Amino acid sequence: MEQLVDNDTERKEILKRYRNLLKAYKSPLSKGDKRLIRLAFNMALEAHREMRRKSGEPYIYHPIAVAQITAEEIGLGTTSIVAALLHDVVEDTDITLEDIERTFGKKISSIIDGLTKISGVFDQNSTSLQAENFRKMLLTLSDDVRVILIKLADRLHNMRTLESMSREKQLKIASETNYLYAPLAHRLGLYVIKTELEDLALKYTEPEIYKTIARKLEQTRKDRTKFINEFSEPIKESLGKNGFRFEIKGRPKSIYSIWNKMKKQDVPFEEIYDLFAIRIIIDTAEEKEKSDCWKVYSIVTDFYHPNPDRLRDWISIPKANGYESLHTTVMGPGGKWVEVQIRSKRMDEIAEKGYAAHWKYKDTANAGNENALDEWLHKIREMLENPDANALDFIDDFKLNLFAEEIFVFTPKGEIKTLPVNSTCLDFAFEIHSALGTRCIGAKVNHKLVPLSYKLQSGDQIEIITSAKQNPREEWLGFIVTAKAKSKIKAALKEEKRKTAEEGKNIIEKLFRQHKISFNKGNINEILSCYRIPSSMDLFYRIAIGAIDLKNLEDFNTSGGQIKIKVQKKDEHASLEQLVKEIRGTSGSLVIGDNLNKINYQLSECCTPIAGDDVFGFITDNEGILIHRVNCPKAIQLMSNFSFRIVKAKWTSQKEIIFLAGIRITGLDNMGVVNNITKIISSELKVNIRSINIESNDGMFEGTIMLFVHDTEHLNKLIRKLTALKGILTVSRIDNN
Ligand code: MN
């Protein structure tokens, strides 16, 4: 080993790489900075002296490369370069944090501490541990964003050198990259790094697809270049005449994004028309960039017609991650739509390297709420600090928000707020303040009254209406979008339940006093086991809402301050968990119409399931099990939010049960048609009608018929018969009441 490291060519190579790193630094290095970097390099070199990477190369190549990415591709300064060089020493060598603090000071040692804590984060196999660690990682993000930036550089270099890893490791590392690191890079505005991470992840997870697309991109490059030149020619000339200093690039889309488009639109490579975007970067003073970008827009559209629906102005209102640019899609030569991105050099730098590069680090204090990144970090901190948030829920909620497209809306005073697309009035209320969210009963959007769940559009102005009587509700979780609102509502619901449970506790205490029973753990446990309830909090809650009635303790022997179960309660009082276990345990699913297991169920009124429908059971708190159709809109919400309450359900083959179902009929209003309808239903098919309601209008009629059928087969037969009638236009089952 010793000899290998001291090998002359290798030492030369190490020094060469080190000098390259120094060159990557943009502004000239001060003497002090140079000394610090040299010190860090020497320490890392010495510490990793006997270590090698999987590829067989000296280990020091890795920290040098990470430092290089940190400087060159993210644009960070000396502190980060030093931390990057030392990022693996505390974890992998004998050097301690104290050693680092002694030589480099508190700041650098705290960054390395953060890096050490989150490294190995994903070595655990348990998902919840990963989630907890991801949360930790984001916490450090709000301490010092450089920790995350260096971590991203570390991950990027590991992805670039993934070749030498085992297949199993490649897959694991690549999917984590896709799951967490790429979204994080995206959210921080590090577009170039995000794109490379995604492409590399695809290369290892779907090597065949990656290779095919890369090959096709290469094959079509010549044609593309020709097209781009032809397209740019008149614009270049005009920009020159107008005295602009500029650069025009034709940038191919990433392999990953092309693959995503192919999947989404279900088309082959050949049919993806926007394989590239044209980017015009102008060199102009900061105070003139906005008007200059619009001048360029005007020049571009002198030659090509813009699509008015595709104009995106992120100069007047930058994205939350700091992205600024003016996008338009114009009709190019040969009838092809071409996306044109117009921006200044400064904007381009932010777009490529992220806001972080412009993030000013002050040793003294936080810069305050000066910019969007700051605001974002503030939001993350708020979410993380919520002690009730479950780590796995958190990570899912959070990830949704990482990828979401944004809309911007206004407060009544005209203040602008950015929200993820599909946000509702309630999200907006929580965005302003959680106290506003929890009391929200509705809103006025553009002066019109709308419900809480109303989906906002860019440009909406929202006034929240509150009531002191309002409390957060479980169903809110079904339409809320932002992670912040979600975690606040969940915490509030939990708190609400705790308060209600308090009332239940008072009821028991009073009851115990009447019967001279001491309120202690043993006696409470006796009740818990009688009703098969897992925790005293659950018991108190159920008593408070009336789901359990202790009936003056008549099921218990009470003497000497103690209670003992007289009769073990039957299934009807079994707890939720017990119920689920029983159903899942015996047959694996609930059999509807089977009287053998006496489980209390009802058909849900919102989607009126009938035998033969795809259904599932939802275990409610008070009404037993509700049967929903799988395609019920409510079901999707239930399944995603309360999967633990869902049980499989299927129908028995018995035919004697009947179900209520509804059909909607439209047709031409001529005499006799209604007569024919009822004739078919009641006499021919012998179906009982419960109600029939037909309205005519301008020679057309529309009707709703509620009737009793045995199963889907029965209903479909009826629908087919009715459709065949003369004068009938449509017959459809009513999916939702
Ligand atoms: Mn590393």
Side-chain angles (χ1 to χ4, degrees):
M1 268 303 182
E2 189 84 8
Q3 263 176 350
L4 274 173
V5 181
D6 284 339
N7 169 316
D8 216 33
T9 34
E10 238 171 34
R11 208 174 48 214
K12 270 188 192 150
E13 179 61 28
I14 293 171
L15 283 174
K16 195 178 123 201
R17 289 179 188 223
Y18 173 68
R19 276 192 299 272
N20 260 337
L21 166 64
L22 295 181
K23 270 188 238 152
Y25 205 91
K26 284 273 162 56
S27 43
L29 274 165
S30 75
K31 257 212 175 118
D33 286 340
K34 226 180 202 163
R35 195 186 63 86
L36 268 183
I37 295 173
R38 182 76 205 192
L39 220 54
F41 170 68
N42 285 342
M43 188 188 257
L45 186 63
E46 179 58 26
H48 295 299
R49 197 162 54 108
E50 291 184 16
M51 294 167 63
R52 293 201 165 249
R53 303 202 81 209
K54 267 264 154 53
S55 58
E57 291 174 332
Y59 193 85
I60 190 72
Y61 285 8
H62 170 65
I64 295 178
V66 174
Q68 181 109 16
I69 293 169
T70 308
E72 203 165 62
E73 297 175 55
I74 310 182
L76 296 177
T78 307
T79 307
S80 308
I81 294 176
V82 168
L85 282 168
L86 297 170
H87 81 271
D88 276 335
V89 295
V90 174
E91 203 191 347
D92 298 342
T93 77
D94 296 335
I95 291 175
T96 63
L97 269 181
E98 289 72 42
D99 296 335
I100 290 178
E101 189 176 337
R102 250 195 319 276
T103 320
F104 298 98
K106 187 98 197 116
K107 183 91 248 173
I108 284 174
S109 84
S110 86
I111 293 177
I112 291 173
D113 187 28
L115 281 163
T116 310
K117 276 186 191 139
I118 56 175
S119 112
V121 151
F122 301 103
D123 288 348
Q124 287 87 356
N125 280 322
S126 135
T127 339
S128 62
L129 257 182
Q130 281 192 10
E132 192 47 50
N133 280 320
F134 179 66
R135 188 159 131 162
K136 254 188 233 151
M137 175 154 114
L138 291 167
L139 255 175
T140 58
L141 167 78
S142 40
D143 278 348
D144 191 326
V145 75
R146 281 175 291 195
V147 174
I148 301 296
L149 296 171
I150 295 167
K151 189 71 205 164
L152 279 170
D154 182 29
R155 174 52 57 127
L156 180 58
H157 186 245
N158 286 335
M159 285 299 290
R160 282 176 182 169
T161 51
L162 206 53
E163 198 65 58
S164 42
M165 291 290 191
S166 69
R167 179 75 188 131
E168 202 195 0
K169 271 231 152 150
Q170 285 178 346
L171 281 175
K172 184 170 184 292
I173 294 175
S175 33
E176 278 162 21
T177 298
N178 226 343
Y179 185 68
L180 290 178
Y181 289 92
L184 205 53
H186 174 83
R187 200 59 176 91
L188 288 166
L190 303 161
Y191 283 96
V192 176
I193 289 182
K194 171 219 165 201
T195 305
E196 191 179 344
L197 285 175
E198 283 173 344
D199 272 5
L200 286 168
L202 184 67
K203 184 176 165 185
Y204 289 99
T205 49
E206 307 260 24
E208 282 316 309
I209 288 164
Y210 179 89
K211 270 184 234 152
T212 312
I213 297 176
R215 200 187 59 236
K216 288 188 174 174
L217 265 179
E218 187 52 37
Q219 284 165 351
T220 49
R221 199 173 56 167
K222 243 178 147 181
D223 287 343
R224 214 163 37 240
T225 313
K226 206 176 137 223
F227 180 89
I228 291 167
N229 287 340
E230 192 190 334
F231 179 90
S232 313
E233 207 40 54
I235 299 175
K236 272 186 186 163
E237 217 186 290
S238 180
L239 284 173
K241 261 190 221 153
N242 283 279
F244 278 107
R245 272 173 300 163
F246 64 93
E247 193 188 347
I248 298 190
K249 295 187 211 168
R251 301 193 47 119
K253 294 250 161 87
S254 76
I255 293 178
Y256 176 80
S257 71
I258 292 171
W259 167 233
N260 253 347
K261 280 211 161 155
M262 289 166 62
K263 272 195 303 191
K264 230 198 216 154
Q265 300 167 5
D266 195 23
V267 292
F269 177 88
E270 288 68 24
E271 280 174 41
I272 301 283
Y273 66 93
D274 49 349
L275 288 171
F276 63 91
I278 302 273
R279 185 173 299 166
I280 305 175
I281 301 158
I282 52 172
D283 190 358
T284 181
E286 202 170 330
E287 63 274 12
K288 283 177 69 189
E289 30 182 38
K290 187 175 171 188
S291 60
D292 278 353
C293 284
W294 282 104
K295 270 183 208 155
V296 174
Y297 172 83
S298 158
I299 288 170
V300 171
T301 51
D302 278 348
F303 298 99
Y304 306 108
H305 282 297
N307 179 339
D309 292 338
R310 302 295 306 272
L311 178 66
R312 298 283 180 274
D313 174 10
W314 285 302
I315 292 182
S316 309
I317 303 164
K319 285 194 189 180
N321 63 15
Y323 184 85
E324 291 172 73
S325 193
L326 185 61
H327 291 194
T328 177
T329 299
V330 299
M331 185 52 84
K336 277 189 196 155
W337 288 111
V338 178
E339 182 181 316
V340 183
Q341 308 171 344
I342 303 162
R343 55 174 84 149
S344 71
K345 257 184 139 169
R346 181 192 64 85
M347 295 171 186
D348 192 51
E349 176 139 322
I350 293 178
E352 301 265 293
K353 291 183 183 169
Y355 227 28
H358 291 250
W359 185 237
K360 299 281 172 274
Y361 289 105
K362 290 180 181 127
D363 279 336
T364 43
N366 233 308
N369 250 1
E370 275 173 8
N371 55 39
L373 187 64
D374 232 355
E375 230 169 75
W376 184 62
L377 295 177
H378 180 72
K379 273 186 222 166
I380 290 177
R381 174 142 285 255
E382 261 188 352
M383 289 193 302
L384 294 166
E385 276 169 353
N386 187 345
D388 278 339
N390 162 300
L392 266 179
D393 278 0
F394 166 80
I395 199 165
D396 277 343
D397 294 351
F398 183 79
K399 251 182 72 68
L400 281 177
N401 283 196
L402 277 178
F403 271 127
E405 295 257 356
E406 290 162 351
I407 56 166
F408 57 90
V409 293
F410 297 94
T411 68
K413 286 188 178 151
E415 198 188 325
I416 196 159
K417 293 279 166 194
T418 312
L419 289 169
V421 79
N422 287 330
S423 287
T424 61
C425 291
L426 195 55
D427 287 292
F428 176 82
F430 274 100
E431 181 64 28
I432 305 271
H433 200 283
S434 39
L436 201 61
T438 48
R439 297 278 173 256
C440 180
I441 52 168
K444 279 184 185 171
V445 169
N446 308 325
H447 307 292
K448 228 185 90 199
L449 208 60
V450 297
L452 288 178
S453 56
Y454 180 85
K455 276 190 185 157
L456 299 171
Q457 305 276 331
S458 263
D460 280 347
Q461 189 170 33
I462 304 113
E463 186 189 337
I464 294 297
I465 304 168
T466 59
S467 157
K469 287 192 191 123
Q470 178 69 302
N471 278 314
R473 298 174 189 204
E474 192 140 346
E475 63 255 33
W476 286 3
L477 295 170
F479 56 79
I480 208 98
V481 170
T482 51
K484 182 181 171 184
K486 255 189 198 151
S487 73
K488 292 279 181 206
I489 294 170
K490 280 179 191 165
L493 287 172
K494 219 172 164 185
E495 177 58 23
E496 202 60 33
K497 189 175 173 186
R498 202 189 54 73
K499 271 193 210 149
T500 312
E502 218 32 59
E503 292 165 27
K505 191 178 165 198
N506 291 337
I507 296 175
I508 293 201
E509 273 177 329
K510 205 172 138 203
L511 195 63
F512 274 20
R513 263 200 309 278
Q514 283 166 2
H515 291 263
K516 301 204 166 45
I517 295 162
S518 42
F519 189 84
N520 61 32
K521 221 173 172 183
N523 286 334
I524 292 293
N525 281 344
E526 197 64 15
I527 299 183
L528 289 184
S529 69
C530 173
Y531 290 99
R532 302 184 199 183
I533 289 172
S535 77
S536 50
M537 156 108 158
D538 276 306
L539 174 69
F540 299 156
Y541 178 74
R542 272 174 230 199
I543 286 174
I545 62 171
I548 288 180
D549 181 0
L550 291 179
K551 292 192 198 113
N552 247 330
L553 299 178
E554 58 193 31
D555 293 328
F556 300 89
N557 289 315
T558 58
S559 64
Q562 297 252 349
I563 59 173
K564 279 272 168 282
I565 303 173
K566 242 192 262 173
V567 208
Q568 176 69 49
K569 284 276 134 189
K570 293 268 168 51
D571 292 348
E572 64 227 72
H573 280 303
S575 69
L576 211 162
E577 291 80 2
Q578 195 66 30
L579 203 55
V580 176
K581 248 188 235 153
E582 262 165 41
I583 297 168
R584 285 185 185 153
T586 51
S587 56
S589 55
L590 170 70
V591 181
I592 306 164
D594 185 354
N595 296 324
L596 284 177
N597 46 10
K598 288 199 179 74
I599 289 169
N600 170 24
Y601 67 83
Q602 284 173 44
L603 301 178
S604 137
E605 276 172 20
C606 57
C607 53
T608 52
I610 65 177
D613 280 334
D614 256 347
V615 287
F616 68 92
F618 180 73
I619 301 172
T620 66
D621 274 333
N622 311 320
E623 306 163 77
I625 300 174
L626 270 182
I627 308 294
H628 285 274
R629 287 167 66 186
V630 171
N631 61 1
C632 168
K634 222 170 147 189
I636 295 154
Q637 172 199 329
L638 292 175
M639 285 193 273
S640 54
N641 285 311
F642 306 100
S643 53
F644 58 95
R645 288 179 174 227
I646 302 288
V647 285
K648 271 195 268 176
K650 57 184 184 207
W651 305 91
T652 68
S653 42
Q654 294 166 272
K655 282 267 177 182
E656 55 266 30
I657 341 167
I658 52 164
F659 300 93
L660 185 65
I663 52 173
R664 185 169 288 127
I665 304 185
T666 63
L668 299 171
D669 183 19
N670 50 28
M671 300 282 285
V673 91
V674 174
N675 213 347
N676 286 338
I677 292 171
T678 46
K679 212 169 87 195
I680 287 207
I681 296 176
S682 45
S683 31
E684 237 181 87
L685 288 163
K686 307 236 179 314
V687 173
N688 284 324
I689 297 179
R690 187 170 94 165
S691 68
I692 181 161
N693 175 22
I694 290 186
E695 275 171 35
S696 355
N697 193 358
D698 277 347
M700 299 278 294
F701 78 87
E702 207 184 318
T704 320
I705 305 172
M706 299 303 290
L707 30 77
F708 294 99
V709 293
H710 291 299
D711 52 24
T712 43
E713 205 182 306
H714 192 193
L715 181 66
N716 289 338
K717 193 172 160 198
L718 177 72
I719 290 177
R720 275 197 306 275
K721 282 244 173 185
L722 290 174
T723 313
L725 269 182
K726 224 180 140 202
I728 299 282
L729 291 176
T730 63
V731 184
S732 57
R733 176 167 173 198
I734 300 173
D735 284 329
N736 252 288
N737 291 344

